[in-house]
């Protein structure tokens, strides 16, 4: 953002002071209603809080024990643990004039790159989350070492940015990543230095950040910096430091006029908005609701999800060319031919899964668990694995003869959200309230629930989604007095549930609740029939559809030219591939068209959408 943009608003960068005592003056200076701003700050300080229906488990309470999700988790853990510390810190040491051993990172990350040092804090954040979950001492040590290296930089330099582009164009974006890394290093890895560095980092970055939160329109149009994503982490900084000026700063940067107010009022303002940045901004709205108790923010999240549903591809992804599109005009269908950038995948997945978890917490409704599951399996879990030199997945392509490619520049933004999103896989599986354990996803895992009356521990065994069944065994029952609730997906017609062999009633699209006095050894068995079905790309192209089985999107391997235009009897013509748990095939034009889960595709070409023959 240009400096004159700030002076056009009557306030220079350095004259804007973020502090609770000056909140009314600052708000007035930038045109916000001073009384409302000060009242919101007082309300936050007085302890007004929004209510959660369900709660997340802390990192470490849930462990993955097998299956596709764990395989991906383990690979990403090893990949980021192996990143060379000197290499990651080099650009900061260069800027501060410190000894800077190790090879250059290159790409977006280097001092002359698109956003120098952009993902550094996210690497710390993801590793701290993984370490807290797995107990990996090497990951905790790596977090501490990276924080120490960053501390040597940030306390030495006047300029907190590793290069001019980050300072001038992405000051808020980069600060937000620094901050989340320090928050997680302190909270999850116990690095006390990270807490001390939080106010130093924010105050050194603040003069470079716009004094007003301005909206971002589209993929390339200015203003480009994303000030409106700052609030989520600033609320956490206020909690950690006890300093109300950071709560005031969080409130100040909420994008109310352009985003939360119209969404809460029931206006679909998504079309034309930058898809990822506005979705991740909804997490700031969730924290605003939790900290301020303002129902507006909860309504905005619920409505945003509703408006996003028609925007989704079968994968759960959205935003061709990084923009939400107008509805009922066939824009998603048209994008298959005009774009190869249909979903900004690790970044978008990270934002979408966070939004889904917040909505599970705020509403308790299973529909958000359905969406979370679909997004996890078909987007982040389905990305191409990174290489050793900065090659990372970025876009998913759902067009004809597509391939999973790396982004054309090294170390893009998605290299940061990839590790954070995968580290958060464990948060998606289970939730709880005071009286119930909620099973939200089905993967080999254990969950330990510390509660009055003694800890509860449940083990889940399953080959889902390849197979339809999952088995949950209570291994520690505590007092035994609690309910177990299981999400029954809306697509799971004919679902069956039993407790110790006794059938229980279930309804698709609901939480099936079993209340009893549990004892160690009790077994819950759930069967979710995963019939093949199709999902049209949009309402203007009802015959252009993707194949789904349960939550998983299937794609046609090695497609030949024009196959997507041939009317196919999908899904009825598909038959299981003999000996395979997941493959399906059909004969057409004398050739075999084979469908497999998208997350199993490596470097093969594939088609996602096909023309479906009318019955």
């Amino acid at each position: 953002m240009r400096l004159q943009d700030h002076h056009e608003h009557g306030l220079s960068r350095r004259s804007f002071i973020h502090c609770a005592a000056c909140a009314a003056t600052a708000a007035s200076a930038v045109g916000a209603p001073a009384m409302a701003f000060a009242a919101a700050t007082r309300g936050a300080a007085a302890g007004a809080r929004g209510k959660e229906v369900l709660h997340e488990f802390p990192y470490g309470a849930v462990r993955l024990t097998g299956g596709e999700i764990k395989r991906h988790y383990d690979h990403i853990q090893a990949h980021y643990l192996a990143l060379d510390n000197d290499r990651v810190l080099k650009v900061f040491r260069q800027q501060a004039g410190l000894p800077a051993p190790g090879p250059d990172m290159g790409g977006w990350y280097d001092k002359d790159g698109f956003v120098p040092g952009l993902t550094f804090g996210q690497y710390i954040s993801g590793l701290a989350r993984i370490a807290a979950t797995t107990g990996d001492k090497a990951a905790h040590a790596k977090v501490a070492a990276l924080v120490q290296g960053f501390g040597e930089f940030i306390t030495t330099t006047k300029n907190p940015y590793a290069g001019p582009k980050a300072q001038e164009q992405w000051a808020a974006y980069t600060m937000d990543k620094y901050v989340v890394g320090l928050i997680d290093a302190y909270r999850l890895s116990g690095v006390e230095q990270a807490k001390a560095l939080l106010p130093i980092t924010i105050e050194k970055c603040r003069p470079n950040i716009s004094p007003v939160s301005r909206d971002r329109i589209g993929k390339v149009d200015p203003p480009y910096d994303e000030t409106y994503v700052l609030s989520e982490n600033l609320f956490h900084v206020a909690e950690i430091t006890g300093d109300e000026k950071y709560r005031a700063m969080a409130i100040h940067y909420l994008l109310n006029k352009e985003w939360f107010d119209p969404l809460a009022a029931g206006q679909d303002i998504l079309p034309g908005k930058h898809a990822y940045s506005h979705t991740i901004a909804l997490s700031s709205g969730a924290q605003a609701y939790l900290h301020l108790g303002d129902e507006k923010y909860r309504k905005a999240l619920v409505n945003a999800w509703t408006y996003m549903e028609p925007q989704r591809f079968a994968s759960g992804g959205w935003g061709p060319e990084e923009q939400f599109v107008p509805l009922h005009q066939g824009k998603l269908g048209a994008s298959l031919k005009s774009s190869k950038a249909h979903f900004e995948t690790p970044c978008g997945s990270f934002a979408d899964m966070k939004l889904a978890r917040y909505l599970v917490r705020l509403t308790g409704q299973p529909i958000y668990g359905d969406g979370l599951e679909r997004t996890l399996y078909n987007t982040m879990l389905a990305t191409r694995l990174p290489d050793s030199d900065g090659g990372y997945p970025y876009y998913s392509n759902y067009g004809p003869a597509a391939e999973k490619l790396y982004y054309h520049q090294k170390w893009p933004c998605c290299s940061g959200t990839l590790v954070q999103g995968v580290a958060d896989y464990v948060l998606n599986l289970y939730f709880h309230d005071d009286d119930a354990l909620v099973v939200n996803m089905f993967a080999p895992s254990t969950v330990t629930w510390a509660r009055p009356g003694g800890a509860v521990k449940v083990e889940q065994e399953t080959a889902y989604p390849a197979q339809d069944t999952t088995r949950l065994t209570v291994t520690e029952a505590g007092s035994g007095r609690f309910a177990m609730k299981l999400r029954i997906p809306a697509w799971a017609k004919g679902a069956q549930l039993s407790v110790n062999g006794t059938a229980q009633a279930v309804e698709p699209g609901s939480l099936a609740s079993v209340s009893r006095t549990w004892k160690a050894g009790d077994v819950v068995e759930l069967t979710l029939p995963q019939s093949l079905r199709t999902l049209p790309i949009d309402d203007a192209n009802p015959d252009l559809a993707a194949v789904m089985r349960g939550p998983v999107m299937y794609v046609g391997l090695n497609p030949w030219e024009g196959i997507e235009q041939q009317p196919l009897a999908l899904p009825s013509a598909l038959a299981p591939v003999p000996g395979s748990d997941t493959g399906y095939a059909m004969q057409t034009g004398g050739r075999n068209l084979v469908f497999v889960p998208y997350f199993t595709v490596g470097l093969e070409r594939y088609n996602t959408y096909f023309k479906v023959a009318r019955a």
Side-chain angles (χ1 to χ4, degrees), residues 303-337:
N303 289 340
W305 183 276
T306 300
Y307 302 144
M308 287 169 70
E309 278 302 292
Q311 296 268 352
R312 294 182 184 276
F313 294 96
S315 66
W318 27 255
E321 294 296 326
E322 302 185 21
Q323 289 192 198
F324 287 121
V325 300
L327 300 179
H328 315 305
Q329 299 177 22
K331 295 292 187 180
L332 289 183
S335 75
L336 297 183
K337 295 181 179 179

Side-chain angles (χ1 to χ4, degrees), residues 370-421:
D370 286 7
L372 194 162
E373 180 182 48
R374 180 169 68 152
T375 296
L376 189 156
Y377 276 112
N378 304 310
T379 60
M380 190 167 283
L381 183 69
T383 56
R384 186 177 177 182
L385 293 171
D387 69 14
S388 296
D389 198 35
Y392 283 84
Y394 194 117
Y395 293 118
S396 290
N397 180 0
Y398 306 128
E403 295 177 88
K404 293 181 179 179
L405 302 174
Y406 293 135
Y407 192 60
H408 66 278
Q409 296 283 344
K410 301 290 188 180
W411 309 103
C413 54
C414 285
S415 72
T417 46
L418 177 64
V419 65
Q420 287 183 295

Side-chain angles (χ1 to χ4, degrees), residues 468-605:
D468 295 347
T469 60
T470 191
R471 176 186 177 97
L472 296 119
T473 303
V474 177
T475 58
E476 296 179 24
S479 67
R481 295 187 296 273
F482 62 93
M484 190 182 299
K485 297 181 179 181
L486 297 90
R487 179 179 60 87
I488 311 300
W491 47 259
K493 311 304 180 186
Q496 298 176 6
L497 177 67
S498 68
V499 180
N500 295 333
T502 302
Q504 308 285 319
V506 294
E507 182 70 26
S510 70
L511 289 177
S513 181
V514 182
S515 296
R516 66 197 307 272
T517 300
W518 299 88
K519 64 182 184 301
D522 284 345
V523 174
V524 177
E525 294 184 303
L526 176 66
T527 300
L528 300 172
Q530 299 178 80
S531 301
L532 294 175
R533 66 191 192 281
T534 55
L535 284 181
I537 191 166
D538 55 33
D539 57 3
N541 297 279
D543 297 332
L544 186 61
V547 174
M548 301 290 294
R549 178 178 178 270
V552 177
M553 183 177 79
Y554 274 60
V555 296
L557 278 186
N558 298 320
W560 51 94
E561 186 176 355
I563 182 61
E564 72 278 1
Q565 295 301 321
Q566 300 176 23
L568 302 176
L570 294 174
S572 60
L574 293 174
V577 174
S580 170
D581 285 337
T582 57
Y584 292 84
M586 63 180 293
Q587 280 271 327
T588 180
R591 306 189 196 186
N592 291 315
L593 183 58
V594 179
F595 284 77
V596 298
Y598 183 50
F599 67 75
T600 68
V601 174
L603 300 180
E604 305 101 322
R605 288 186 296 277

Side-chain angles (χ1 to χ4, degrees), residues 77-78 80-83 85 123-124 126-132 134-147 189 191:
Q77 176 181 356
Y80 284 88
L81 186 62
L83 287 181
N85 290 2
Y123 300 159
I124 294 175
L127 285 165
R129 296 175 190 196
I130 288 170
T134 64
D136 185 349
K137 293 181 180 179
H140 280 309
K142 189 177 185 72
V143 167
L146 291 173
V147 169
S189 284
V191 181

Side-chain angles (χ1 to χ4, degrees), residues 192-207:
E192 288 290 333
Q193 183 186 14
K195 178 180 178 180
L197 291 175
L198 274 168
I200 296 171
T201 301
I202 294 170
E203 294 310 313
K204 285 198 172 186
C205 290
R206 180 184 53 75

